[in-house]
Amino acid sequence: MDHKLRILIVEDELLIALDAEMALQDAGHNIVGTATTEEQAVEMAISQKPELMIVDLRLAHGGCGRAAVERIRLILDVEVIFASGNLDPAMRARLEGLEPVAMLSKPYGGDELVRTVETAAA
């Protein structure tokens, strides 16, 4: 992939966020930040203007990744990959309205994340 993306990671589990950041940076992408709450996600997206966000559905302090994406998309046009341990058919159907470029089931590895990002961006 020639174009390296500006990516915001929205994940409240530190190890998952660090693994994702390292895998994506190793692939040449620019991580513009890591948000752990819905509020941080909105603030960082507005200030950093990422091209892509990797978003967990359950965030710290009772936050919701889906709600964060809805709020962000009122202001920015940004692509989203949802990542969650709960991507059953009903959840996938609820997320389809937000037109994610992909959905990743947890746990996922760094290679799978990079492939998903690069396939989505192609």
Side-chain angles (χ1 to χ4, degrees), residues 30-52:
N30 180 22
I31 305 305
V32 300
T34 300
T36 60
T37 67
E38 186 178 326
E39 289 305 317
Q40 276 185 334
V42 173
E43 290 169 12
M44 285 182 164
I46 292 168
S47 68
Q48 298 299 316
K49 298 181 180 36
E51 296 168 278
L52 176 71

Side-chain angles (χ1 to χ4, degrees), residues 4-43:
K4 300 306 176 186
L5 299 171
R6 293 174 41 79
I7 300 173
L8 174 63
I9 298 170
V10 182
E11 171 64 64
D12 65 337
E13 294 183 45
L14 181 61
L15 293 178
I16 293 173
L18 287 173
D19 285 347
E21 184 173 343
M22 288 189 322
L24 293 167
Q25 284 178 332
D26 287 349
H29 297 290
N30 180 22
I31 305 305
V32 300
T34 300
T36 60
T37 67
E38 186 178 326
E39 289 305 317
Q40 276 185 334
V42 173
E43 290 169 12

Side-chain angles (χ1 to χ4, degrees), residues 56-72:
D56 185 18
L57 294 177
R58 291 188 182 141
L59 301 174
H61 307 297
C64 175
R66 183 181 194 281
V69 169
E70 290 173 335
R71 292 172 58 194
I72 291 164

